[in-house]
Amino acid sequence: MPRSDQTGIWASRLAPNLTEIESLTLQAYAHLPQEFRELCPDMSLHVADFPDDSIIEDLGLDTPFDLLGLFEGAGLGERFSLQTDNQRPNRMTLFRRAILDYWCEHEETLHEIITHVLIHEIGHHFGLNDDEMLAMDAEI
């Protein structure tokens, strides 16, 4: 269908809300390779409009639109450490407004963007290099 024929489809649509982005996130995560998901067992997935002020300050962001997602939790070194006092649950937060802003500026689907954010946040946290993550992104 040519783009001009889709005008009616968009005439009544609103931007996806937090619940809809969370649903897309859960769906994208479920389609990641099993061995990749095993890097972060029991990870909780969350969606917020923006990171809170402490995250913006800690990461030195110029604007909250600079951060699409954030992985917080135990990396490989911490997971296999004998120390248990610093163990943090694995938590991934995706930031809806930054994702929607990125979506408006690029020719990718929301599913592709969310999948990319998941792969890169998990991958960077567990020491994968950009080539490994790019290859995984291309397979999905």
Side-chain angles (χ1 to χ4, degrees):
M1 178 185 301
R3 283 185 176 255
S4 60
D5 293 350
Q6 295 179 10
T7 305
I9 294 171
W10 289 100
S12 62
R13 289 201 178 174
L14 301 173
N17 62 31
L18 291 169
T19 303
E20 292 164 330
I21 296 291
E22 184 174 322
S23 179
L24 287 169
T25 300
L26 292 171
Q27 181 183 45
Y29 182 76
H31 287 91
L32 294 177
Q34 178 67 29
E35 63 274 7
F36 190 69
R37 286 183 281 137
E38 288 174 356
L39 290 173
C40 45
D42 303 322
M43 180 173 68
S44 61
L45 294 166
H46 302 273
V47 177
D49 273 325
F50 291 110
D52 63 35
D53 291 339
S54 64
I55 291 172
I56 293 170
E57 186 177 318
D58 287 349
L59 296 178
L61 303 176
D62 291 329
T63 170
F65 287 96
D66 289 343
L67 189 63
L68 301 179
L70 179 65
F71 185 102
E72 300 170 285
L76 285 178
E78 294 171 295
R79 283 180 40 205
F80 299 111
S81 169
L82 296 177
Q83 296 178 348
T84 58
D85 57 342
N86 279 342
Q87 289 186 349
R88 299 169 287 167
N90 290 322
R91 173 187 170 102
M92 168 80 72
T93 305
L94 277 73
F95 300 107
R96 182 184 80 97
R97 294 286 307 278
I99 288 171
L100 293 177
D101 188 61
Y102 183 92
W103 179 48
C104 290
E105 295 179 4
H106 296 84
E107 292 200 18
E108 295 175 67
T109 67
L110 279 173
H111 176 78
E112 290 169 334
I113 294 166
I114 289 169
T115 298
H116 179 81
V117 171
L118 290 171
I119 289 170
H120 279 260
E121 286 301 315
I122 295 168
H124 281 305
H125 197 78
F126 290 101
L128 299 179
N129 66 43
D130 287 335
D131 291 337
E132 293 169 316
M133 289 183 286
L134 188 60
M136 184 177 300
D137 217 353
E139 288 178 20
I140 298 176

